[in-house]
Amino acid sequence: MDRSSGVPAFRQVAADLRERIVAGEYEPGARLPSERELVDNYGVSRPTIRDAIDLLRAEGRVDAVRGVGVFVRPPTQIERLARSRLSRAARAENKGAFMADAAAKGFTPSSSVKIRFEPADERVAGLLGIEPGTEVTVRDRVMRANGLVVQLAVSRLPRELTRGTVIEEVDTGPGGAYARLEEAGHAIGHYVEDVGSRMPSPEEASTLQLAEGVPVITVTRIAYRQDGLPLEMNDMTLPADRYRLTYEWAAE
Amino acid sequence: MDRSSGVPAFRQVAADLRERIVAGEYEPGARLPSERELVDNYGVSRPTIRDAIDLLRAEGRVDAVRGVGVFVRPPTQIERLARSRLSRAARAENKGAFMADAAAKGFTPSSSVKIRFEPADERVAGLLGIEPGTEVTVRDRVMRANGLVVQLAVSRLPRELTRGTVIEEVDTGPGGAYARLEEAGHAIGHYVEDVGSRMPSPEEASTLQLAEGVPVITVTRIAYRQDGLPLEMNDMTLPADRYRLTYEWAAE
DNA sequence: GAGTGGTCTAGACCACAGC
DNA sequence: CTGTGGTCTAGACCACTCC
C-alpha cells in the first residue's frame, strides 16, 4: 500500500489481489480472506475493500456469496458453436442444432417457444427486405441444458412465408423451421451471421443467470433463399463465458 | 422509491435512471443531474447514488467526467469486419486489410509492430501443430486509426517458415505476411476463426482506451496451407463497442 | 471560486449460511 | 450463535473543469 503514489487505495488492493489470483496463490474456487480480514491486512476501511472486490467482480474474476465468502471464479466449460450446425446433413438427423449439440454432450436439453405476430420495425424490415409494418412471425425461444438457460433466440420471418405451416406452431418437427422452409420450396442459398458483444441488461443477466462481469455475445443470423430473398432473421444472445463461435472458410 | 420492497435503494435509483435514459428523457450525450441533486431527488445518501451510477457505468450506459458530470453514452460508430478482408483480391491492392479498411473510411491508419522470437507454449504448439518449445516468430501489432488504438493483434508462425523472409521484419510489404507466405510456396487453403468475448484486463482497458462496461471481442484465426498444415495463428483483441464481425457462407 | 465527480472513513443494521 | 457479504448513512477532503 503506497498512500502517496496517486493510485487510489481500492485499486491498489484490487491489483494486489488480482496478482495473487493470477499467480495461483488463490486457486480457482478458493476463498479470499473475508472483507474484515482484508480491512486489517491492508489497513483501509471496509467500503474501500468492497470497492476493490467490486472491481474484481466486474472483471469476472471472483464471485461473492452472501454469508459465505468471496471465491475465485473457476473457468467455465466452453461450448463451441460451429457453422456446420446449420448444414442440411445435420438437420436430417435431429430436431435442430441446439438439441443435437446438447444431447451429444450428455445434457438434457429443453427449449420453450413463444409464438407471436407483430409488425416489422425499421431494423427488422431492413434486414428482411420488407416494408416496415409488414406482419412477421416471431418465434421467441429460451434454450436450456439441464434446466439452466444457455441461450436466447428470437427468430422472425415474413408471415407470408409461414402462414398455414407448422412454423407458426410450437413444434416445427424434425430439422426445425429451416427444413420446413425448404420443403415449401424455399431452398436456402446462404447464411450471414453478424457477431458482437456487450454487457447484458439486468433482465438478460437474470434470465441467463449470468455472473457478474460476464458479457453477452449477440449474433444476428439471416438465412437467404437461393435467389437472395431473406427468409429468416434470428437474434441470438449467448453468455460469453460459455460459448465461442467458430467459422471456417476456404481461402479466396 | 419503495423502501419496503426488498429491492436495494441503489438498484431502484439505477432502474429509474435507466428507464429515463431508454425512454429518451435523457438523450444521448445529455448530462444527468449531479450526484448532489440526485441525493435530494431520491432522498438517499451520496454513496447510494454513486452505487446506482456505478451500476449504469458497468452496463456501459453512462460516462462520468470528473469536474463536469455524468453523461448518457452516445452510440459508437460500428465497424464491420467481413471475412472477405482476407481474400487474395483484397490483398493484391494494399498492405493489409486493416490499412485498406481504415483508409477507405477516411481514417489515418497507423500500426506499430514489435517482432520477437519465443518458444511455443502448450496452447500455441497445439494450434500450430508443432512441439511445445519449438521457436515461433511473433508479430505483436497495435493498430490505430487517427491515433486511437482500435485493435491488438498477436500473430505467431513457426520460425521455420519465416526465416530469411521479410515476415521477420517490421514491413512485410504489399499484401502483408499472407502474401509473402504464398509467394514462398505456402498457398493458403482455408481459415478458421474462433470468436469469444470477455471483460478486459486493466492493461487492455488502458491500451485500448476502453470506456467502462465495454467488453473485448477476442478472435483467434488460424491460416492453414492447402495440405492442412497450420501456417499462422493470430490472436486479435477488439473493443466490443466498435466492432461487429460478419461471416457469410453458402448453405450446406 | 463554485460545482463536479473520485476517494475514503467509521460506523450501523440487515439477510443469509453454517455450525 | 457467529461470521459472512449486502446495504446505507453522514460526513470529509481531494482533483478537476469551467467561469
Side-chain angles (χ1 to χ4, degrees):
Chain A
M1 290 291 309
D2 180 354
R3 301 306 294 256
S4 64
S5 68
V7 180
F10 77 93
R11 289 190 192 281
Q12 292 186 46
V13 173
D16 188 67
L17 290 172
R18 190 186 298 114
E19 215 170 276
R20 290 168 192 269
I21 289 168
V22 172
E25 185 170 335
Y26 301 125
E27 298 185 359
R31 215 203 81 182
L32 262 51
S34 79
E35 296 181 352
R36 274 111 177 151
E37 284 181 276
L38 293 172
V39 166
D40 294 340
N41 294 354
Y42 291 100
V44 297
S45 69
R46 184 147 92 104
T48 301
I49 291 295
R50 282 192 62 82
D51 282 347
I53 290 175
D54 284 348
L55 210 56
L56 299 179
R57 296 214 290 168
E59 289 170 15
R61 292 178 185 276
V62 301
D63 292 309
V65 183
R66 185 200 292 230
V68 184
V70 177
F71 300 86
V72 179
R73 184 178 303 175
T76 56
Q77 173 73 26
I78 289 174
E79 181 94 6
R80 283 203 159 63
L81 289 187
R83 69 173 177 78
S84 59
R85 69 192 183 280
L86 294 173
S87 74
R88 292 192 182 91
R91 234 165 27 222
E93 305 187 3
N94 55 61
K95 300 186 55 136
F98 169 72
M99 297 301 211
D101 261 23
K105 299 210 162 60
F107 294 124
T108 307
S110 65
S111 151
S112 49
V113 189
K114 278 188 208 146
I115 292 165
R116 61 176 192 273
F117 307 98
E118 62 181 30
D121 63 17
E122 285 290 340
R123 171 175 172 269
V124 167
L127 294 177
L128 287 180
I130 57 181
E131 287 301 311
T134 308
E135 192 175 31
V136 293
T137 303
V138 184
R139 297 179 52 87
D140 200 332
R141 295 177 70 193
V142 177
M143 288 169 251
R144 296 184 182 79
N146 289 339
L148 213 85
V149 177
V150 294
Q151 191 176 327
L152 308 176
V154 182
S155 166
R156 287 173 229 260
L157 310 88
R159 174 108 202 235
E160 182 195 329
L161 297 176
T162 66
R163 211 182 297 268
T165 75
V166 291
I167 297 175
E168 297 193 356
E169 291 166 30
V170 166
D171 186 357
T172 51
Y178 288 161
R180 297 297 85 70
L181 282 171
E182 300 217 318
E183 287 167 5
H186 304 294
I188 296 170
H190 70 285
Y191 299 97
V192 175
E193 286 193 353
D194 189 61
V195 183
S197 169
R198 57 174 170 73
M199 289 311 281
S201 67
E203 291 74 31
E204 290 171 326
S206 84
T207 49
L208 288 172
Q209 297 159 71
L210 288 175
E212 292 278 313
V214 177
V216 292
I217 296 172
T218 61
V219 181
T220 299
R221 177 174 59 229
I222 304 178
Y224 294 89
R225 202 164 63 182
Q226 289 175 336
D227 63 358
L229 181 84
L231 293 172
E232 184 238 23
M233 59 173 286
N234 197 335
D235 287 304
M236 290 163 280
T237 307
L238 314 164
D241 64 342
R242 291 202 281 262
Y243 283 101
R244 292 189 70 86
L245 309 174
T246 72
Y247 297 93
E248 180 171 355
W249 68 94
E252 200 61 340
Chain B
M1 289 291 309
D2 179 354
R3 300 308 292 258
S4 63
S5 68
V7 179
F10 77 95
R11 290 191 192 280
Q12 292 186 45
V13 173
D16 188 66
L17 291 172
R18 190 186 299 115
E19 213 170 277
R20 289 168 193 268
I21 289 169
V22 172
E25 184 171 336
Y26 302 124
E27 298 185 359
R31 214 202 81 182
L32 263 49
S34 79
E35 296 181 352
R36 275 114 178 145
E37 285 181 275
L38 294 173
V39 166
D40 294 340
N41 294 354
Y42 291 100
V44 296
S45 68
R46 184 146 92 101
T48 300
I49 291 294
R50 282 191 63 81
D51 283 348
I53 290 175
D54 284 348
L55 211 57
L56 299 179
R57 297 215 287 168
E59 289 170 15
R61 292 180 185 275
V62 301
D63 292 309
V65 183
R66 186 200 294 233
V68 185
V70 177
F71 300 86
V72 178
R73 185 178 302 173
T76 56
Q77 173 74 24
I78 289 175
E79 180 95 6
R80 283 205 159 60
L81 289 187
R83 67 174 178 78
S84 59
R85 71 193 181 280
L86 294 172
S87 74
R88 292 192 181 91
R91 230 157 43 214
E93 306 186 3
N94 55 62
K95 300 186 55 132
F98 169 71
M99 297 300 210
D101 261 20
K105 301 211 161 61
F107 294 123
T108 306
S110 67
S111 150
S112 50
V113 188
K114 278 188 208 146
I115 292 165
R116 60 175 193 275
F117 307 99
E118 62 181 28
D121 64 18
E122 285 290 339
R123 172 175 172 268
V124 168
L127 294 177
L128 287 180
I130 57 181
E131 287 301 311
T134 308
E135 192 175 30
V136 293
T137 302
V138 184
R139 297 179 52 86
D140 200 332
R141 295 177 70 193
V142 177
M143 289 169 248
R144 296 184 183 77
N146 289 339
L148 213 85
V149 177
V150 294
Q151 190 175 329
L152 308 176
V154 181
S155 166
R156 291 183 168 86
L157 309 89
R159 174 107 201 239
E160 182 196 330
L161 295 176
T162 67
R163 211 182 300 269
T165 75
V166 291
I167 297 176
E168 298 193 356
E169 290 166 30
V170 166
D171 186 358
T172 51
Y178 288 161
R180 297 297 83 71
L181 282 171
E182 300 217 316
E183 286 167 7
H186 305 294
I188 296 170
H190 70 286
Y191 299 97
V192 175
E193 287 193 352
D194 189 61
V195 183
S197 169
R198 57 174 170 73
M199 290 310 282
S201 67
E203 293 73 32
E204 289 170 328
S206 85
T207 50
L208 288 171
Q209 297 159 73
L210 289 175
E212 292 278 314
V214 177
V216 291
I217 296 171
T218 60
V219 182
T220 299
R221 176 173 61 229
I222 304 178
Y224 293 88
R225 201 164 63 183
Q226 288 174 338
D227 64 359
L229 181 84
L231 294 171
E232 184 238 21
M233 59 172 284
N234 198 336
D235 286 304
M236 289 164 279
T237 306
L238 315 168
D241 65 340
R242 290 201 281 260
Y243 285 101
R244 291 189 70 86
L245 308 174
T246 71
Y247 298 93
E248 180 173 356
W249 68 94
E252 203 58 342

